[in-house]
Amino acid sequence: MDCYLAVDIGGTQLRVALYPTEGITPLERHSISTRPEQGNVLGRLKDLIAGIWPNGSKIRRIGIGVAGPVNPQSGILYNAPNIPEWRNLSIRHEIEGVFETPVVIGNDANLATLGEWRYGAGQGHHDVLYFTISTGIGGGIILHDRIVTGHRGIAAELGHVTVLPGGPMCGCGQRGHLESVSSGPAIARYVSERIAAGRTSSLTLVTPISASDVAEAARQGDPLCIEAFDFAGRMLGQALANYLAILNPSLIILGGGVTKAGPLLFDPMWAALRASVMSPEYLEGLQITTAVLGDEVGLIGALALARLE
Amino acid sequence: MDCYLAVDIGGTQLRVALYPTEGITPLERHSISTRPEQGNVLGRLKDLIAGIWPNGSKIRRIGIGVAGPVNPQSGILYNAPNIPEWRNLSIRHEIEGVFETPVVIGNDANLATLGEWRYGAGQGHHDVLYFTISTGIGGGIILHDRIVTGHRGIAAELGHVTVLPGGPMCGCGQRGHLESVSSGPAIARYVSERIAAGRTSSLTLVTPISASDVAEAARQGDPLCIEAFDFAGRMLGQALANYLAILNPSLIILGGGVTKAGPLLFDPMWAALRASVMSPEYLEGLQITTAVLGDEVGLIGALALARLE
């Protein structure tokens, strides 16, 4: 029987799974901790793949998703924020060299987009934007039924656009990016900074505040915490209005832990989007929905890439 | 001999030209004033096409570019800002009905992008952004060798993204769009408003100030006029940094009358772009250049569309 092998390289976990030629139910699935501080991540990844390699089946292609900027044409990973020892690493060459099987590779957010489009919330659409809103804000773009990677493979950094010039510092070193105002840490920081400045809240600074703490307190009616999501949602809505004018998609998929806040985030997002959109024509036929593949999206995205033509 | 017919429908002029199967030198070229206030623009357009129709040659395809949002799949023009009598007009159906020749249609800025990419400054690139900076700011996007039109044909409104929340009013009714700070009228308004508020300048409010007046005065050293271009250029550079993160193009083409200001605009643009870009990798291999097709770009864009596939 022919199979596909999917690999998801994250900062916390290395995961591999074996899939048949149809469907998204794995035949087998292994994972280990990434432990970048232990070194030799590449060696342990190769062992993990060897461990799942089937006897008597042919692997048609290996699909690999990795957190970090990667060039899909050359197969070179420029760097991996969570695996410092990997710089300008030709993952494709390394894996093809050992397993003598074609390897395709992509950035994790791009592959999540591909996964949701082929097997999740995006099925049947041709022009799709995907946002993952969690510790950071990543994204992916499908246009004319094709993932947009750009000239050097680093397109679709949808969280790294300026929405508030001079605003909060972003993880990338710039100020006022969407990630700096609408990600989980940004929401938590919004509340922490204001408590530190004397605002009252049901939350305290005794232990570090997380975005899910803020969501829980907002649901209990805490005004500061409601305000924090209102701000994050409005900034997101304003950014979406820009993305509609640029790319005119029929679907926007929102994934990542912060979207679990639901209406706390989505109500102000929709209000700002409706108020900011250049013309109501961009909202005609537009759907905004949440991601459906959950934690499996990394593997399923890598599978979707492996199965592409 | 086989030919292609290109039609450029502008607010000021209706232009048609006949081209051979190769090259961009027209065999013949006619134009008339649009005069929307006279009515019957469609009838006069049909007469203009009939007037250039060759005897004994076959027209393979008619390419039409029009200023306004148009759906390239359906051939329906939603509206034309300069021709109020045209709303939800199926131009393709109208022209095919009379001339019994296949018609392809696109938005003028998208076709200008196509023209510059196939026959102008963009040759050899696969991922290109084009901006036309004049009375408004329009644009076009080529990705993977294909023009991006979006779900309903209204993508690539590159001037209608928020760069300065709460900033100046834009022609579209929103505030702080790129068009509201970096277009010709925006540059002129920057100076006029400050003179009205008491700033000194070599320009006066006796006659209306244009962006080319501002450019001329800036070249003579007028501090307020230099400042106006500095502001417009920095806003443009900040917007370009966002576009790099979203689409990672290898080429940005800048056209339109305001680009004649040269370094007055481009120096602050580059400074802001370098300061705002998320990672220097987006600048690697990136070229920013000016458009080369000039006034012919409307017809050549329509020709490029007619010749596609």
Side-chain angles (χ1 to χ4, degrees):
Chain A
M1 190 182 67
D2 281 13
C3 303
Y4 291 92
L5 203 156
V7 180
D8 178 19
I9 303 172
T12 311
Q13 292 248 298
L14 304 177
R15 300 193 245 209
V16 297
L18 208 55
Y19 292 92
T21 53
E22 302 284 334
I24 58 172
T25 308
L27 299 166
E28 201 171 337
R29 196 177 177 299
H30 298 176
S31 63
I32 56 171
S33 294
T34 307
R35 294 194 205 285
E37 71 288 356
Q38 220 176 70
N40 192 27
V41 175
L42 186 62
R44 287 184 294 117
L45 177 67
K46 288 175 181 172
D47 290 347
L48 187 67
I49 295 173
I52 204 172
W53 201 268
N55 291 320
S57 292
K58 181 181 177 240
I59 304 283
R60 286 193 188 169
R61 210 179 275 121
I62 302 172
I64 302 179
V66 59
V70 62
N71 187 321
Q73 278 87 47
S74 66
I76 290 175
L77 177 75
Y78 299 125
N79 63 75
N82 301 306
I83 309 173
E85 70 188 42
W86 287 6
R87 285 198 71 84
N88 296 315
L89 177 69
S90 178
I91 298 191
R92 183 162 74 197
H93 184 257
E94 289 285 348
I95 303 298
E96 280 182 346
V98 176
F99 297 98
E100 297 179 339
T101 297
V103 168
V104 283
I105 184 163
N107 162 273
D108 60 348
N110 283 344
L111 295 198
T113 308
L114 205 56
E116 287 283 351
W117 172 58
R118 295 296 285 253
Y119 303 116
Q123 294 174 68
H125 287 263
H126 309 291
D127 302 287
V128 178
L129 301 187
Y130 170 88
F131 293 79
T132 172
I133 308 176
S134 56
T135 311
I137 297 186
I141 304 170
I142 303 280
L143 291 177
H144 302 300
D145 292 319
R146 187 166 174 184
I147 189 94
V148 170
T149 53
H151 163 52
R152 300 184 74 238
I154 51 177
E157 285 289 356
L158 303 185
H160 294 284
V161 293
T162 305
V163 292
L164 193 66
M169 184 62 76
C170 187
C172 74
Q174 293 290 340
R175 285 193 175 273
H177 279 180
L178 179 59
E179 178 171 305
S180 80
V181 292
S182 301
S183 64
I187 292 166
R189 181 173 54 187
Y190 185 101
V191 171
S192 303
E193 285 181 357
R194 280 159 184 79
I195 293 174
R199 285 276 299 270
T200 57
S201 167
S202 58
L203 298 178
T204 70
L205 298 181
V206 175
T207 53
I209 292 173
S210 71
S212 63
D213 297 336
V214 178
E216 186 51 37
R219 278 189 209 99
Q220 304 298 322
D222 185 288
L224 177 60
C225 294
I226 292 171
E227 181 186 307
F229 271 99
D230 185 68
F231 178 70
R234 282 189 288 114
M235 287 287 112
L236 177 59
Q238 183 197 298
L240 293 186
N242 290 347
Y243 283 117
L244 294 186
I246 301 168
L247 298 170
N248 184 29
S250 61
L251 179 69
I252 295 175
I253 303 172
L254 302 174
V258 175
T259 62
K260 290 178 188 158
L264 284 171
L265 183 74
F266 298 143
D267 289 353
M269 176 196 82
W270 269 108
L273 173 55
R274 288 204 184 87
S276 310
V277 75
M278 177 200 170
S279 151
E281 277 156 2
Y282 289 95
L283 299 176
E284 278 174 34
L286 174 71
Q287 293 173 50
I288 301 185
T289 188
T290 48
V292 300
L293 297 179
D295 280 349
E296 290 302 292
V297 73
L299 284 169
I300 293 173
L303 169 66
L305 183 67
R307 283 189 182 153
L308 274 186
E309 72 222 71
Chain B
M1 191 181 68
D2 281 12
C3 304
Y4 291 92
L5 202 155
V7 179
D8 178 19
I9 302 172
T12 311
Q13 292 247 299
L14 304 177
R15 300 194 244 208
V16 296
L18 207 58
Y19 292 92
T21 53
E22 302 284 334
I24 58 171
T25 307
L27 300 165
E28 201 170 335
R29 196 177 178 299
H30 297 177
S31 64
I32 57 171
S33 295
T34 307
R35 293 194 205 286
E37 72 288 354
Q38 218 175 71
N40 192 28
V41 175
L42 187 61
R44 288 184 291 118
L45 177 67
K46 288 175 181 173
D47 290 347
L48 187 67
I49 295 173
I52 205 172
W53 202 269
N55 292 318
S57 292
K58 180 180 177 242
I59 304 283
R60 286 192 187 169
R61 210 178 276 121
I62 302 173
I64 302 180
V66 59
V70 63
N71 187 320
Q73 278 87 48
S74 67
I76 290 175
L77 177 74
Y78 299 123
N79 64 74
N82 301 306
I83 309 174
E85 69 188 43
W86 286 7
R87 285 197 72 83
N88 296 314
L89 177 70
S90 177
I91 298 192
R92 183 164 72 197
H93 184 258
E94 289 284 348
I95 303 297
E96 281 182 346
V98 177
F99 297 98
E100 296 178 339
T101 298
V103 167
V104 284
I105 185 164
N107 163 273
D108 60 347
N110 284 343
L111 295 198
T113 308
L114 205 56
E116 286 284 349
W117 172 55
R118 296 294 286 250
Y119 304 116
Q123 294 175 70
H125 288 264
H126 309 290
D127 302 288
V128 178
L129 301 186
Y130 170 88
F131 292 79
T132 170
I133 309 175
S134 57
T135 311
I137 297 185
I141 304 171
I142 303 280
L143 292 177
H144 302 301
D145 291 320
R146 188 166 172 183
I147 190 93
V148 171
T149 55
H151 163 51
R152 301 183 74 239
I154 51 177
E157 285 288 357
L158 303 186
H160 294 283
V161 293
T162 305
V163 293
L164 193 66
M169 184 61 76
C170 187
C172 74
Q174 294 289 342
R175 286 193 174 276
H177 280 180
L178 179 60
E179 179 171 304
S180 79
V181 291
S182 301
S183 64
I187 292 166
R189 181 172 56 187
Y190 185 101
V191 171
S192 304
E193 285 180 358
R194 281 158 183 78
I195 293 175
R199 285 277 299 271
T200 55
S201 168
S202 57
L203 298 179
T204 70
L205 299 181
V206 175
T207 54
I209 291 172
S210 71
S212 64
D213 296 335
V214 178
E216 186 50 37
R219 277 189 211 99
Q220 305 297 322
D222 185 288
L224 177 59
C225 295
I226 292 170
E227 181 187 307
F229 272 99
D230 185 68
F231 177 70
R234 280 189 290 115
M235 288 288 112
L236 176 61
Q238 183 197 298
L240 293 186
N242 290 347
Y243 283 117
L244 294 187
I246 301 167
L247 299 169
N248 184 28
S250 60
L251 179 69
I252 296 174
I253 304 172
L254 302 173
V258 175
T259 61
K260 289 177 189 159
L264 283 171
L265 183 74
F266 298 143
D267 288 353
M269 175 196 83
W270 269 108
L273 173 55
R274 288 205 184 87
S276 311
V277 75
M278 176 199 172
S279 150
E281 276 155 4
Y282 290 93
L283 299 176
E284 276 173 37
L286 173 70
Q287 292 173 49
I288 300 185
T289 187
T290 48
V292 300
L293 297 179
D295 281 348
E296 291 302 292
V297 74
L299 284 169
I300 294 173
L303 170 67
L305 183 68
R307 282 187 183 154
L308 272 188
E309 77 221 74

